Amino acid sequence: DARVTQTPRDKVTEMGQEVTMRCQPILGHNTVFWYRQTMMQGLELLAYFRNRAPLDDSGMPKDRFSAEMPDATLATLKIQPSEPRDSAVYFCASGLVVSGTGENSEQYFGPGTRLTVT
Amino acid sequence: GEDVEQSLFLSVREGDSSVINCTYTDSSSTYLYWYKQEPGAGLQLLTYIFSNMDMKQDQRLTVLLNKKDKHLSLRIADTQTGDSAIYFCAEKGGDTGRRALTFGSGTRLQVQP
């Protein structure tokens, strides 16, 4: 049963601390997405990778957030320094996109990391 | 920019049909999706429809697409208490410069026994 996995599931940290969230996409998928979900803003796209290359990180605050894919089986989202307004659930999703017009973009979501910054 | 809108809340009785509606603004949308999110969980892909179709049925789920009005609906037949969740509509634009999906704010479905 192929699934996207995320660690940790819950993280409580103090303001100013570094936070690293990890995601293992489904084997064989070539796209990875990071989303943030809050009550106020709903679901926001933070970053999008295709074949490990970042294609869109326009939704991500550049001064404190960074996203990487060290290899095809690992994606990381780092916040340094963290702030209380970063408290949210962070979802990773992966998918398989085949180049061409009208490409389907099914995304399979992980269970999320609930981040609380005090 | 592109926008996807949904009503916030729907309440139905167990056994009734539920219809969740969604409107979008991008006339070049190629694929439209329905996701389900249960409490404390990630989004689960339920179904999707290609923009050249007007209907897709999958067991208890029926998706209707009115491309002219940019209106998408999800009908759940014989709604069960286990269907209680938040349902998100999402669309993928045809503009190749846009890579990701645009999600609506979600409709909370409450199924009363």
Side-chain angles (χ1 to χ4, degrees), chain A residues 37 48 102 104-105 107 109, chain B residues 31 33 35 37 43 48 99-100:
Chain A
Q37 187 178 39
Y48 164 55
N104 195 349
S105 186
Q107 296 179 25
F109 281 71
Chain B
Y31 286 90
Y33 305 81
Y35 285 82
Q37 184 178 30
L43 279 69
Y48 65 89
R99 318 290 184 167

Side-chain angles (χ1 to χ4, degrees), chain A residues 42-108:
Chain A
L43 203 61
E44 303 173 275
L45 176 70
L46 297 176
Y48 164 55
F49 290 79
R50 185 163 174 176
N51 297 322
R52 294 178 54 202
L55 288 192
D56 184 357
D57 60 2
S58 57
M60 199 165 66
K62 302 292 190 302
D63 56 339
R64 299 182 300 109
F65 284 61
S66 61
E68 295 179 348
M69 281 200 74
D71 60 61
T73 64
L74 177 65
T76 62
L77 179 66
K78 189 177 293 186
I79 308 174
Q80 167 62 19
S82 58
E83 297 180 2
R85 60 181 167 147
D86 301 329
S87 297
V89 180
Y90 290 81
F91 288 106
C92 173
S94 73
L96 177 63
V97 172
V98 178
S99 295
T101 58
E103 57 195 35
N104 195 349
S105 186
E106 297 173 47
Q107 296 179 25
Y108 296 85

Side-chain angles (χ1 to χ4, degrees), chain A residues 1-3 10 12 15-16 22 26 31 35 37 43 47 51-52 63 79 81 90 97 100 102 104 114 117-118:
Chain A
D1 185 21
R3 296 185 187 193
D10 279 281
V12 180
M15 183 172 64
R22 293 177 174 81
I26 293 173
T31 60
Y35 291 92
Q37 187 178 39
L43 203 61
N51 297 322
R52 294 178 54 202
D63 56 339
I79 308 174
Y90 290 81
V97 172
N104 195 349
R114 181 176 297 278
V117 183
T118 60

